[in-house]
Amino acid sequence: MAKEVQELYYERAATGRRLSSLLLDVFCSFLLGFLLLVLVLFLLDSSPIIKAQRTIREDLSLSSGLYVQEEGKTRRYLDLVLEDESAVDNQSEEMDSCLEAFYAMETFFPKNDGTAIYLQYKEEAKTEDGMSLFENGKRCLTNDDYDGDYLQFYKESYEIALGYLFQNEDYASSSKAIILIYTFSIIGDFLFAILVFFLIVPLLFGKTKQTLGMKMTHLALVSADGLALSTGRFLGRFLFLFLIEVVLSLASFLIPFFVSLGMMVLSKTHQSLHDYVLNTYCIFLDKGEIYKDEAEYRLSRKEKEGSIALEDPKYRPVSGVDQDNV
């Protein structure tokens, strides 16, 4: 005996609706991610781990002499000197003293003679006319016209000195730890937001597996047999979408994304790449219903064709009735 075939008809989801749904979900994800990021950054600022790493950097900065603390704030020594309204030659003298002290510190030059490095910079310093600015580490052009040249040399030397400070093992390690913590926090915030709107929300909607955007645009997901997606198939669809069309797209100039978009618009079935691979379909669901399995469909059909509503005045409960046959 041939098995009875039941046909389910669903209207194909229009491309415009699908794109609108996607934009709504992306917007909600970014909004949630941003709100979480604000909260996380606030918490990180008071985190003992971040405070400890910042303290290491600040202590090294102050001990180098390249930074000073003024009114509770750590500032660059160069900026403080340039704010002084004294003569330019006085500014140069202050910078020279600062840099000589820094290059003499073994903390920042454990394997090299920092003083010799600084003297080498001085020997190589010249004016635009090719005249040497220093001789045996001392200023050799006493004319005030060259004050600007000397100050420019100290500005450049200060920036080079900062490079040595940042290369210090402890300073670099603390900076790396801070950057990694903030980077993973930012990524984690937006990843969590994506999981909420593209994974958790659809699972909460049950049979329709709708995102919030799909719910608002009356879209839903079904398998090739017209029934609801199983949890396993939906998880496979989400993983393919996330790993291939999101992560891989970011690393390959959005090629998988555009391939999926092209398939959705141009293919005969109008399936995107992840729907084609997982054999799922996006449908327009305005008033219809999606069934979990064949048994649920048959039960629903039987109720629509022959059941009596509970509010019907003719209804009388009968004891001993087999509920499976109602």
Side-chain angles (χ1 to χ4, degrees), residues 203 209 229-239 278:
L203 290 176
K209 300 297 188 294
L229 266 63
S230 65
T231 301
R233 185 180 292 271
F234 174 75
L235 291 177
R237 179 184 184 273
F238 171 79
L239 288 175
L278 274 300

Side-chain angles (χ1 to χ4, degrees), residues 286-299:
D286 189 13
K287 299 180 180 179
E289 184 179 356
I290 292 179
Y291 305 98
K292 180 179 180 181
D293 49 33
E294 184 180 347
E296 185 180 59
Y297 167 73
R298 291 183 178 278
L299 179 60

Side-chain angles (χ1 to χ4, degrees), residues 25 34 69 72 96 98 100-101 116 154 182 184 210 226 261 266 270 275 301 308 322:
D25 289 322
F34 176 77
Q69 201 163 53
D96 189 41
C98 170
E100 283 184 347
Y154 288 118
Y182 276 98
F184 282 111
Q210 295 167 297
L261 182 62
L266 302 175
H270 296 282
D275 283 324
R301 185 180 177 186
I308 302 176
D322 184 357

Side-chain angles (χ1 to χ4, degrees), residues 250-270:
L250 295 176
S252 59
F253 305 101
L254 300 179
I255 292 176
F257 171 77
F258 285 117
V259 169
S260 182
L261 182 62
M263 292 179 61
M264 182 176 69
V265 176
L266 302 175
S267 67
K268 183 178 180 180
T269 59
H270 296 282

